[in-house]
Amino acid sequence: MKLDVRGEVCPYPMMKALEAMRQLPEGELLEVLTDHPPSLETIPPLANQLGFAWKIVERGGGQWAILIAREAQVIEQALRA
Amino acid sequence: MVFAGIALLVLSGVAGVLLTGVGREVGLFWAFGLAFGFTLQRSRFCFASAFRDLFLFGSGRIMKGILAGMAVSTVGFAVLMSRMVPNPLPGMIAPEAHVVPVGIHLILGGLLFGIGMVQAGGCVSGSLYRMGEGYVASWVAFVGILGGLGLALHSWNWWWRISIERAPLVWFPSFAGYGGAVALTLVLLLSAYLLVLWWEARKGLALPEAPPAARGQTFVHRLQDLWERVTRRGWPVVAGGVTLGVLNVFLYIAHMPWGITGEISRWAAGISRLAGFPPPTLLGVDQLGGCTLTLGGNRLITHSLTLDVGMVVGSLAAALLAREFRIRVPPNPRRYVQAFLGGILMGYGAGIAMGCTIGAFFSAIPSLGLNGWVFGLSLLAGAYGGVQLLKRVP
């Protein structure tokens, strides 16, 4: 599942990520694409709190992908691919 | 991007030397502006989210940073004010302290500002530093802020007559002495901090700070680590708050506490005049401190101008160094409307309350006045209202 929140500022990236996490099926990867740096401080702890694993990947040019899944292996697989 | 950031810092230094030629304070305040903008950007210090996230996510992360920063300034301001006014008697106020009359104008101003900053996704200082980071919506919000301050200039005299003129000035040292005033303010700040902790534990998300990445132990590694910490990774929010609090004390030593919207009202007055609607002479403003509206004098380049513009440039430099600069265009057209209307509300609110989250709150509570607390609580109520509205705007 991909969630593109580029151009959005607080609190929308976090609100939309929260909504997406709640709907995320097991074994699936959520990729949140953002250009709002504060999201990097707020979305990962939110994921922690809800029991998700996460990883931030810098995409350059002021953009990041936050990879989120219920299982850490899902993220590792996605990173290897 | 990193080289552009370094180049910008060097250029800003040169500009500082040139501005010092215009006036000593003009150059000095430029440097302060750069430092404020850099710190705000690095610690992502957003007053709007500090208030909003208490209600939206139950998170008090940034609010705790603000409270820590104000505690530092409280002590610094008190030392400074006690040297300027050794015997505070009723009716006295320390020079330049952000103590303004407490009345309905202050409460309403805080409410409007609180709603506006949540809608716009940033307060006035937040919009200034995000303008430097490349957020198009923040430029739109800034236009709204100018408009709101323009409206406030045109209705100031009405507010003066019905509320401000008769409203009391309450400066704690003139009742309780400096010791009592500082003790009272620190106890209130600590209580607010504990209340935030309780709030987080009760319903929300305590957002932990990201753990630092480990590196080698050699000098070069440590130097790289320091560079990364300062320029790449976001600063811990309490470090940001304390840095801002210390800078605020130094700014007061230099001349006056940190404030933004008084200067922007001068720009709004100029635009209003150019547009053919010159604002009227403002009643009573000579007797008022803080970020009271001003029509401006004869000089174009002033210390408050370089302070505000410096914040935008300082943030741009920080964003470039962190490789976070990017022109961000909201895809959703509703965001521009939110930013503009939020800006209008903030501008008008700051106009009648004589300051924004900085001048009427972050600099006002350490000035040991009652007004900072009243404005802060009004902001809180306004932010609550703003969050209810926000939940209805997808």
Side-chain angles (χ1 to χ4, degrees):
Chain A
M1 197 151 81
K2 283 200 182 202
L3 178 66
D4 187 352
V5 289
R6 283 178 299 172
E8 292 279 22
V9 303
C10 282
Y12 289 101
M14 191 166 167
M15 280 166 76
K16 290 181 174 173
L18 180 64
E19 212 174 295
M21 273 188 257
R22 285 192 176 134
Q23 291 166 6
L24 189 70
E26 279 185 29
E28 222 178 285
L29 181 80
L30 171 66
E31 184 179 347
V32 183
L33 196 57
T34 181
D35 56 8
H36 187 53
S39 308
L40 307 179
E41 320 260 334
T42 54
I43 293 177
L46 176 70
N48 273 351
Q49 199 96 5
L50 297 172
F52 287 82
W54 55 272
K55 178 98 186 148
I56 296 173
V57 183
E58 198 166 347
R59 287 282 157 87
Q63 301 178 77
W64 297 265
I66 308 173
L67 307 180
I68 299 170
R70 289 181 197 277
E71 307 81 4
Q73 315 88 276
V74 176
I75 294 175
E76 281 159 29
Q77 269 170 18
L79 285 174
R80 258 180 269 130
Chain B
M1 249 199 237
V2 178
F3 288 107
I6 293 169
L8 182 63
L9 280 180
V10 173
L11 275 178
S12 302
V14 175
V17 174
L18 294 177
L19 285 169
T20 307
V22 177
R24 191 186 61 86
E25 281 204 330
V26 174
L28 184 62
F29 274 55
W30 169 251
F32 270 108
L34 293 172
F36 278 122
F38 196 95
T39 307
L40 286 169
Q41 200 281 338
R42 286 295 61 224
S43 46
R44 318 192 198 293
F45 211 81
C46 178
F47 283 77
S49 57
F51 284 93
R52 180 198 61 214
D53 291 351
L54 284 172
F55 300 117
L56 200 55
F57 303 117
S59 159
R61 193 179 67 96
I62 301 179
M63 185 54 85
K64 288 187 279 192
I66 293 175
L67 293 170
M70 290 199 294
V72 171
S73 300
T74 296
V75 176
F77 278 28
V79 170
L80 195 60
M81 292 190 292
S82 68
R83 297 190 66 166
M84 292 190 286
V85 184
N87 296 306
L89 300 170
M92 289 173 100
I93 288 170
E96 303 288 345
H98 281 208
V99 181
V100 297
V102 176
I104 186 73
H105 58 279
L106 191 66
I107 295 170
L108 191 72
L111 286 172
L112 292 176
F113 197 100
I115 298 170
M117 70 182 179
V118 171
Q119 288 306 317
C123 63
V124 177
S125 64
S127 297
L128 284 180
Y129 87 78
R130 289 215 175 123
M131 284 159 71
E133 288 182 293
Y135 286 86
V136 174
S138 297
W139 286 87
V140 176
F142 186 75
V143 174
I145 292 166
L146 278 172
L149 282 165
L151 293 173
L153 284 166
H154 284 275
S155 50
W156 167 268
N157 289 344
W158 186 79
W159 285 106
W160 169 258
R161 285 196 201 95
I162 68 150
S163 176
I164 303 166
E165 187 177 16
R166 280 182 297 277
L169 283 162
V170 183
W171 190 46
F172 297 142
S174 61
F175 300 97
Y178 285 103
V182 170
L184 174 68
T185 303
L186 291 180
V187 166
L188 287 172
L189 286 172
L190 181 65
S191 309
Y193 193 96
L194 294 176
L195 213 58
V196 170
L197 280 187
W198 169 78
W199 182 259
E200 284 184 328
R202 196 179 67 99
K203 65 168 279 185
L205 295 159
L207 300 181
E209 308 276 355
R215 263 178 199 269
Q217 288 297 312
T218 66
F219 177 63
V220 175
H221 276 137
R222 289 181 158 228
L223 213 56
Q224 281 175 340
D225 218 40
L226 181 67
W227 174 254
E228 283 254 315
R229 255 176 228 257
V230 176
T231 66
R232 284 302 304 278
R233 261 182 271 138
W235 295 2
V237 72
V238 170
V242 169
T243 306
L244 294 173
V246 170
L247 282 171
N248 204 1
V249 174
F250 282 124
L251 192 66
Y252 196 1
I253 293 173
H255 182 160
M256 59 190 197
W258 189 18
I260 299 168
T261 49
E263 170 62 18
I264 300 176
S265 76
R266 190 172 74 103
W267 308 352
I271 294 167
S272 195
R273 241 178 262 125
L274 286 177
F277 300 99
T281 307
L282 305 175
L283 298 173
V285 291
D286 299 338
Q287 320 160 25
L288 296 167
C291 298
T292 304
L293 295 172
T294 173
L295 300 178
N298 309 320
R299 303 183 67 180
L300 183 65
I301 300 178
T302 62
H303 57 280
S304 39
L305 176 108
T306 50
L307 182 70
D308 285 5
V309 177
M311 283 171 61
V312 181
V313 177
S315 160
L316 170 60
L320 287 170
L321 285 178
R323 289 174 235 176
E324 286 178 1
F325 178 79
R326 180 179 152 85
I327 302 288
R328 295 159 173 97
V329 184
N332 185 344
R334 260 190 295 246
R335 299 289 178 261
Y336 298 98
V337 180
Q338 281 176 284
F340 182 70
L341 294 180
I344 297 256
L345 290 178
M346 282 194 283
Y348 196 80
I352 62 174
M354 291 158 274
C356 63
T357 43
I358 303 299
F361 178 62
F362 195 72
S363 291
I365 285 178
S367 294
L368 307 177
L370 177 66
N371 53 297
W373 292 98
V374 173
F375 188 70
L377 288 175
S378 310
L379 282 175
L380 197 65
Y384 177 78
V387 166
Q388 305 313 313
L389 266 172
L390 197 74
K391 285 179 177 165
R392 288 165 182 76
V393 183

